[in-house]
Amino acid sequence: MQPRGHHLAELNVGRLVAPTDDPRVADFMANLDRINGLGKRMPGFVWMMEGSGEPGTGNTEAKIDGDPQYVSNLTVWDSAAALDTFVWGTVHKQFYARRQEWFEVLGGMHFVMWWVPAGHQPTLDEGLARLEHLKANGDSDHAFGWSHLKIVTGWRDGVCGSEGAELRV
């Protein structure tokens, strides 16, 4: 249940199969602005961690462990329902279905959600700490995946396992 005065933060981490300028990930890179722009225009969107602002780069400059092929997406939504609608009820779902073309299988959880006070803009380090907490402890009010949110069900139809293996592009 969403705590009063809180929004939903989500972090999604992936490792590209190739560098961002490689033809194997060209379609993913070419659609970053389109999908991120759609997310920003969705009802319930609050905030997104931004990159340099260079067209077609999204937030690919934010490296994890210095690895240039790791990319992350960190956003805040006013509710779980708003995020659910964007992820599973828009063209985003079509790009999610193609994730194997562009991303390595990480073999573990790489998506986490948590509640933040309204107005808070989480950092990548904060999100990574929540992800580690989820990996170590499973779903809790501190860090959770889709299955922890009983009020949304789009992820079930999106074939998103209990690990919350969502890939937002």
Side-chain angles (χ1 to χ4, degrees), residues 8-13 73-77 83 108-116 122-136 138-149 160 162-168:
L8 182 69
E10 69 81 24
L11 172 69
N12 192 14
V13 176
N73 180 270
L74 178 60
T75 59
V76 176
W77 298 80
L83 177 60
M109 288 183 248
H110 54 277
F111 174 75
V112 63
M113 294 180 281
W114 70 101
W115 301 112
V116 296
T123 65
L124 180 56
D125 287 341
E126 179 182 344
L128 291 170
R130 296 284 180 146
L131 180 59
E132 289 306 313
H133 186 275
L134 177 60
K135 288 178 183 179
D139 284 332
S140 68
D141 288 339
H142 186 74
F144 47 88
W146 286 111
S147 63
H148 190 70
L149 296 171
C160 182
S162 63
E163 300 87 35
E166 188 250 335
L167 174 62
R168 179 159 179 239

Side-chain angles (χ1 to χ4, degrees), residues 20 28 30 40 50-51 56 70 77 95-96 105 116-117 130 134 138 140-141 150-151 158 167:
T20 57
F28 170 78
K40 290 177 187 179
E50 300 281 0
Y70 267 106
W77 298 80
F95 284 88
Y96 171 77
V105 174
V116 296
R130 296 284 180 146
L134 177 60
S140 68
D141 288 339
K150 305 302 182 206
I151 61 170
L167 174 62

